[in-house]
């Protein structure tokens, strides 16, 4: 499993997770043109886009992705609050189990000043690799076991204005909260 940050700031967020066959776009907070450029003009190669919440630095290109035939997944609260009509978006909720090729995605609740923000646990069923991913959250009220990677975008007080990524490979257990396991 690979994880690539295409953009990570208040000016736009976009990340790619791939198992070599299936490619998921996490967030689409850039202009569609800029997103195409950073993806090497390969939007057609995106299996699906998962959106955490409706703020434009996370969801700006959602409508254009839908028009281009890329399935976009978001919570009902995110769809309702998005500035563009999200009638064609796939509505998901915390605890759903989504399958894209060999990747399984389980959304979980996060804590942000939006209607229904989500983070995602992504697992490659072939390799057993597991990524816990969250952005713009006050805390993680989730427990996940056997994690390979944790990617949490956070802004540290007193740090530079750009977000800092925290990634802990081979993390085995988090604190307390909702359990997510195989």
């Amino acid at each position: 499993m690979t994880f690539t940050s295409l953009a990570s700031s208040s000016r736009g967020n976009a990340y790619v997770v791939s198992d070599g066959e299936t490619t998921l776009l996490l967030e689409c907070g850039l202009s569609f043109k800029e997103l195409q450029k950073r993806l090497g003009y390969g939007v057609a190669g995106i299996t699906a886009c998962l959106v955490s919440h409706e703020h434009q630095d996370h969801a700006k290109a959602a409508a254009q992705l839908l028009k281009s035939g890329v399935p976009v997944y978001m919570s009902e609260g995110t769809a309702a609050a998005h500035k563009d009509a999200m009638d064609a978006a796939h509505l998901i909720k915390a605890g759903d189990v989504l399958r894209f090729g060999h990747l399984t995605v389980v959304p979980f609740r996060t804590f942000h000043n939006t209607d229904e923000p989500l983070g995602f646990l992504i697992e490659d069923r072939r390799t057993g690799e597991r990524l816990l991913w969250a952005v713009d959250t006050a805390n993680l009220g989730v427990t996940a076991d056997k994690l390979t990677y944790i990617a949490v975008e956070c802004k540290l007080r007193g740090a530079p204005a750009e977000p800092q990524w925290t990634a802990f490979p081979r993390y085995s257990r988090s604190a307390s909260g909702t359990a997510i396991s195989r």
Side-chain angles (χ1 to χ4, degrees):
M1 177 187 299
T2 61
F3 174 84
T4 305
S5 175
L6 302 177
S8 179
S9 77
S10 58
R11 292 182 302 274
N13 293 274
Y15 315 91
V16 174
V17 174
S18 180
D19 67 358
E21 294 176 16
T22 300
T23 301
L24 301 177
L25 179 63
L26 307 178
E27 311 289 54
C28 54
L30 301 168
S31 70
F32 186 66
K33 183 177 180 179
E34 184 63 26
L35 191 57
Q36 285 179 307
K37 180 180 172 185
R38 293 190 190 199
L39 287 167
Y41 300 95
V43 175
I46 300 297
T47 306
C49 176
L50 305 170
V51 177
S52 66
H53 64 282
E54 66 270 14
H55 289 163
Q56 289 300 289
D57 61 322
H58 296 269
K60 183 183 287 184
Q64 293 90 345
L65 285 170
L66 287 167
K67 287 177 188 171
S68 296
V70 176
V72 176
Y73 293 75
M74 61 181 59
S75 70
E76 186 174 355
T78 296
H82 195 280
K83 73 175 191 69
D84 297 317
M86 291 288 112
D87 298 336
H90 297 268
L91 302 182
I92 59 175
K93 60 183 181 292
D96 284 352
V97 177
L98 312 169
R99 297 193 193 290
F100 304 99
H102 295 285
L103 298 178
T104 299
V105 178
V106 179
F108 58 88
R109 182 174 178 259
T110 60
F111 303 89
H112 190 36
N113 62 346
T114 59
D115 289 324
E116 196 179 351
L118 298 170
F120 302 103
L121 175 67
I122 303 170
E123 179 176 3
D124 184 328
R125 292 187 309 280
R126 290 175 301 178
T127 66
E129 291 173 289
R130 293 168 54 111
L131 165 69
L132 183 108
W133 177 88
V135 295
D136 291 1
T137 187
N139 63 45
L140 289 174
V142 65
T143 300
D145 62 0
K146 300 178 184 170
L147 295 175
T148 311
Y149 311 103
I150 298 174
V152 178
E153 182 212 36
C154 57
K155 294 180 183 171
L156 303 174
R157 288 200 170 118
E162 292 302 309
Q164 306 298 307
W165 272 98
T166 304
F168 301 99
R170 301 287 175 208
Y171 184 81
S172 60
R173 192 119 176 116
S174 68
S176 63
T178 305
I180 297 176
S181 59
R182 290 187 226 209

